[in-house]
Each structure stands twice: as C-alpha cells, then as structure tokens.
Amino acid sequence: MVLAQPPSAEAIAGNETCATCHEDVVKKYAGTRHGKGLTHDAGESVLCESCHGPGKEHAESEGDKARIKNPKKMDVREGNDLCLNCHAGDEAVYWRGTTHESFNVSCTSCHELHQGWSSDNALKKHKVNDLCLACHTDVRKSLYQRLHIR
C-alpha cells in the first residue's frame, strides 16, 4: 500500500519550493480543506509531498516528472490506496467492494484536491448530479423526466 505520510525531512522540498514552479496550483490547494491545516496523526500538515512523494529530487532536477508521483497517472488501485491511507476511517471506508471500485474508478475521477468546488468533498463539479451524470449518461433522461401518473 502507498502511504500518504510525510516523507523524511531530508527528502522534503516543501510547499514553498513547489510553488516556485507550480504557484497557481499551490495557491488553489491552500484554499482547499486539505490545504487549510489538516494534519496527519503525527500532527504534521498535509503537504504537496504527502500525496506526491518526496519532492527534493524533483525540484533539484528542474522538474523531472519521473522523480515525483502524480496520483492521476498512477495505477488506479495504487492511487486509490494512496487516498484511502488517510481516508479509510471516514466515508471512504465504504469504498472497498463497491461497483465503482470493481470497475476501476479512481478517486481522482470525481475528486480534485487542488481546487475542488465543494470544500467538504473536493468534488470536480459544482453539482453532484453533473458529476455523476458525466459517466452515468444512461440515467440522465430518466432523472430529469417528469413523473406522469394516470
């Protein structure tokens, strides 16, 4: 399982270093629930590197993408395990064994940590229906049909 824990101190670049190249992303992240002071069990803040892994080598190599993790580009199971390492005790505890998991849907299919519209759920869309219907197109018509009773 991939651990979403702070990397060792000597391997950390820090959010400030990340911001030198990714300023817009770091600013947006700072306004999210994750970026507003959530902490690990150890009391340490959730850094960029909590999910992306140690960033010092990435920064020192002038942004070599092979030296940093991108949860969106990871194997679905590995990426989901990264999220579930911290979220296994909340609503995500119900993820294992769901239809979404069995069809290899990733957490990042619905959630965007850098700029989620919903401060609580970090959803990619403003409205939950819009998010779900992006994939579940077969139910769109029936969802919005008027009920006709004789």
Side-chain angles (χ1 to χ4, degrees), residues 1 75-85 88 91-111 135-136:
M1 179 180 284
D75 169 75
V76 171
R77 176 93 180 181
E78 184 182 7
N80 287 350
D81 283 348
L82 180 75
C83 298
L84 291 171
N85 189 61
E91 295 155 1
V93 73
Y94 302 111
W95 178 257
R96 296 288 184 216
T98 64
T99 303
H100 286 107
E101 182 190 32
S102 66
F103 278 95
N104 256 353
V105 175
S106 70
C107 296
T108 59
S109 296
C110 300
H111 300 278
C135 294
H136 297 279

Side-chain angles (χ1 to χ4, degrees), residues 16-90:
E16 299 80 23
T17 300
C18 299
T20 60
C21 295
H22 307 282
E23 183 178 4
D24 291 344
V25 175
V26 173
K27 280 183 181 177
K28 288 175 185 175
Y29 175 78
T32 68
R33 188 171 179 200
H34 284 87
K36 288 181 180 178
L38 284 181
T39 58
H40 293 283
D41 290 339
E44 298 172 16
S45 294
V46 177
L47 304 170
C48 301
E49 293 155 298
S50 297
C51 297
H52 292 283
K56 189 173 182 181
E57 285 186 17
H58 172 71
E60 289 174 350
S61 68
E62 298 183 19
D64 181 355
K65 292 180 181 183
R67 298 181 184 263
I68 198 79
K69 294 179 184 175
N70 183 339
K72 290 180 184 178
K73 294 182 180 179
M74 289 176 153
D75 169 75
V76 171
R77 176 93 180 181
E78 184 182 7
N80 287 350
D81 283 348
L82 180 75
C83 298
L84 291 171
N85 189 61
C86 292
H87 290 283
D90 57 24

Side-chain angles (χ1 to χ4, degrees), residues 129 133 136-148:
N129 279 356
L133 293 173
H136 297 279
T137 56
D138 57 322
V139 297
R140 180 182 296 274
K141 184 178 177 185
S142 62
L143 184 66
Y144 292 112
Q145 273 183 333
R146 295 182 132 188
L147 183 61
H148 180 74

